[in-house]
């Protein structure tokens, strides 16, 4: 079966890795990702956002199914364009992708359909209303652009902003610069708890949830520094995280199921991956936001654990016959290798050495992200370079394997050594215990 994967990063490399042994794999990517290039029978370099060009390529190659990796092409309507030329997709239509591309649509959906787990929020389009609201709001807030910002537009009072006065100024900056493509801003209540992610396969009606993962968005160890696209993540053997219960997981999945029903009523049936980012609070799971695709890095935690063949899952999604999807009962840890100084780095364009044989001998896997394979070698961009992923019987075992494998990368690079460590996991458990007992 001819399958096309659209996208360039480590998330798409993980998707390709899950598919490659069972399909004739094609790829459409903006840079020469060496991992994807090695798996594909053919690939084309081009702008993933040029949806007509992607559709033309798919038609030319007689592609039978497409899997869309990144959010930006989804927001532009790549699924609509591919379906017009007869290519079914794992990915939502432009209309359904608004669950990620328009955060006000997502919040209004929760309000209109009385879905549990929402936050107190307001959408603003002028500074005067923002100023008046924050002058009278006594709790700390979170400021979010309405549209897409690559996971880097959110700022939180107490972390990135000193107080609600700072929040006012940042909200004005978001609107003045139309950050994320909208001259609007969302201000939400700040919820205290532990963040977790549940990703789910969706066929428009049925939802098959995956193991829970926890991302580490701060750039530096000890959860310090700027919010990034994600510096690493872990999952646990039972599909839960050490600070949560089965009841917490079930409650979050129930929220996602209700969302799936609401999307179908408001737009088109949602077919693809629904990514729920939750905060586990004293009152239970609260929905922070949805993504309309796999997480990056969280895709690298769960896809290598798939027992059900990925191509079977993809076929069930497009055919509307999705059932239970099975995963190996293992823990996993992903650590992202990034250029030194990331997210502000002077090392873009430099060559790094990646010893794949060394990584495999240690028992880990490498997924290439924002790098490019050139004649002179693998070159860095200004973004995350590659994910090192390992599995084990425990989080601690997987972490030790991943950490050792990070030593197989040479160059001006950095990674968070604390992702998945016993010390950091215990910190998360203690934090949740303190919240529940407060």
């Amino acid at each position: 079966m001819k399958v096309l994967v659209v996208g360039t990063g480590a998330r798409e490399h993980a998707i390709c890795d899950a598919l490659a042994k069972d399909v004739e794999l094609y790829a459409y990517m903006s840079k020469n990702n060496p991992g994807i290039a090695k798996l594909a029978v053919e690939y084309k370099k081009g702008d993933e956002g040029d949806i007509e060009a992607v559709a033309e390529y798919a038609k030319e190659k007689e592609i039978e199914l497409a899997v869309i990796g990144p959010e930006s092409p989804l927001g532009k309507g790549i699924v609509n364009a591919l379906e017009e030329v007869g290519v079914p997709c794992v990915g939502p239509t432009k209309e359904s992708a608004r669950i990620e591309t328009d955060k006000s649509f997502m919040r209004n959906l929760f309000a209109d359909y009385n879905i549990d787990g929402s936050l107190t929020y307001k959408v603003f389009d002028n500074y005067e209303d923002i100023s008046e609201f924050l002058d009278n709001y006594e709790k700390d807030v979170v400021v979010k652009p309405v549209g897409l910002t690559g996971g880097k537009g959110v700022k939180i009072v107490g972390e990135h902003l000193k107080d609600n006065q700072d929040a006012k100024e940042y909200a004005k900056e978001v609107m003045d610069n139309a950050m994320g493509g909208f001259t609007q801003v969302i201000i939400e209540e700040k919820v205290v708890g532990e963040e977790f992610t549940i990703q789910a396969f969706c066929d428009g009606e049925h939802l098959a949830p995956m193991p829970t993962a926890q991302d580490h968005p701060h750039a530096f160890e000890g959860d310090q520094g700027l919010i990034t696209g994600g510096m690493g993540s872990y999952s646990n053997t039972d599909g839960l995280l050490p600070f949560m219960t089965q009841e917490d997981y079930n409650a979050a999945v129930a929220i996602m199921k209700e969302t799936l029903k609401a999307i179908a009523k408001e737009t088109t049936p949602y077919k693809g991956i629904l990514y729920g980012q939750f905060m586990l609070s004293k009152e239970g799971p609260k929905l922070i936001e949805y993504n309309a695709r796999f997480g990056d890095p969280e895709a690298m935690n769960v896809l290598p654990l798939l027992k059900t063949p990925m191509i079977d899952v993809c076929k069930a999604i497009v055919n509307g016959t999705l059932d239970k999807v099975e995963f190996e009962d293992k823990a996993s840890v992903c650590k992202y290798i990034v250029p030194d100084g990331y997210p502000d780095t002077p090392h873009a364009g430099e060559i790094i050495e990646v010893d794949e044989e060394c990584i495999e001998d240690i028992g880990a896997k490498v997924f290439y992200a924002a790098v490019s394979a050139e004649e002179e070698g693998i070159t860095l961009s200004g973004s995350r370079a590659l994910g090192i992923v390992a599995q084990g019987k425990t989080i601690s075992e997987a972490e030790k394997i991943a950490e050792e494998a990070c030593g197989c990368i040479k160059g001006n690079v950095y990674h968070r050594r604390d992702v998945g460590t016993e010390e950091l996991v215990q910190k998360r458990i203690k934090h949740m215990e303190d919240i529940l007992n407060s």
Side-chain angles (χ1 to χ4, degrees), residues 26-304:
Y26 291 75
Y28 200 102
M29 49 187 176
S30 58
K31 293 182 180 178
N32 186 0
N33 182 308
I36 295 174
K38 189 184 293 186
L39 293 168
V41 298
E42 182 182 309
Y43 67 89
K44 183 176 176 64
K45 282 178 64 178
D47 180 2
E48 300 149 11
D50 187 346
I51 61 176
E52 288 79 14
V54 177
E56 185 178 329
Y57 177 74
K59 187 176 180 181
E60 175 192 334
K61 296 300 174 183
E62 299 179 334
I63 298 299
E64 298 168 84
L65 186 148
V67 183
I68 315 303
E71 63 273 23
S72 182
L74 290 168
K76 291 180 177 179
I78 192 171
V79 169
N80 307 61
L82 284 164
E83 288 181 345
E84 281 179 15
V85 296
V87 179
C89 295
V90 175
T93 62
K94 180 179 181 178
E95 296 77 16
S96 293
R98 289 176 65 202
I99 198 71
E100 174 173 8
T101 62
D102 182 350
K103 291 182 179 65
S104 60
F105 169 79
M106 182 270 286
R107 285 293 173 209
N108 290 335
L109 202 70
F110 269 61
D112 292 344
Y113 288 87
N114 297 314
I115 300 171
D116 287 340
S118 190
L119 308 177
T120 301
Y121 75 98
K122 283 185 177 291
V123 182
F124 295 93
D125 61 8
N126 69 85
Y127 181 74
E128 290 74 21
D129 288 347
I130 291 170
S131 184
E132 182 182 351
F133 173 75
L134 287 178
D135 283 345
N136 294 290
Y137 194 74
E138 297 179 355
K139 298 179 182 178
D140 289 346
V141 298
V142 179
V143 181
K144 291 182 175 182
V146 170
L148 298 175
T149 56
K152 299 168 188 173
V154 177
K155 290 196 176 182
I156 304 168
V157 170
E159 290 188 37
H160 323 96
L161 304 169
K162 185 174 67 175
D163 52 27
N164 281 1
Q165 187 61 41
D166 264 9
K168 282 187 197 179
E169 297 308 311
Y170 180 60
K172 186 174 187 300
E173 179 187 334
V174 169
M175 287 193 302
D176 288 350
N177 293 288
M179 197 180 296
F182 293 81
T183 56
Q184 295 174 303
V185 66
I186 293 178
I187 297 180
E188 295 178 350
E189 64 171 310
K190 177 183 175 181
V191 180
V192 178
E194 280 294 327
E195 287 193 28
F196 66 94
T197 297
I198 298 177
Q199 303 166 102
F201 298 108
C202 306
D203 70 358
E205 183 180 355
H206 310 100
L207 182 147
M210 307 181 213
T212 319
Q214 186 177 50
D215 182 24
H216 297 66
H218 291 87
F220 306 127
E221 290 172 14
D223 300 324
Q224 300 298 308
L226 294 172
I227 294 288
T228 73
M231 292 295 294
S233 48
Y234 67 89
S235 66
N236 204 7
T237 47
D238 53 5
L240 305 174
L241 293 171
F243 55 79
M244 66 187 300
T245 66
Q246 186 66 50
E247 288 73 24
D248 296 328
Y249 180 89
N250 293 345
V253 170
I255 291 168
M256 296 177 77
K257 287 180 177 178
E258 289 304 307
T259 305
L260 195 66
K261 292 178 187 175
I263 295 173
K265 289 176 182 176
E266 285 292 314
T267 62
T268 59
Y270 189 99
K271 295 193 172 192
I273 313 303
L274 185 61
Y275 166 117
Q277 182 185 356
F278 293 91
M279 184 74 80
L280 183 57
S281 70
K282 190 171 184 176
E283 293 76 35
K286 299 285 187 179
L287 194 281
I288 302 300
E289 65 181 18
Y290 279 121
N291 291 333
R293 34 70 186 183
F294 274 113
D296 185 348
E298 297 97 328
M300 292 180 274
N301 292 104
V302 298
L303 284 174

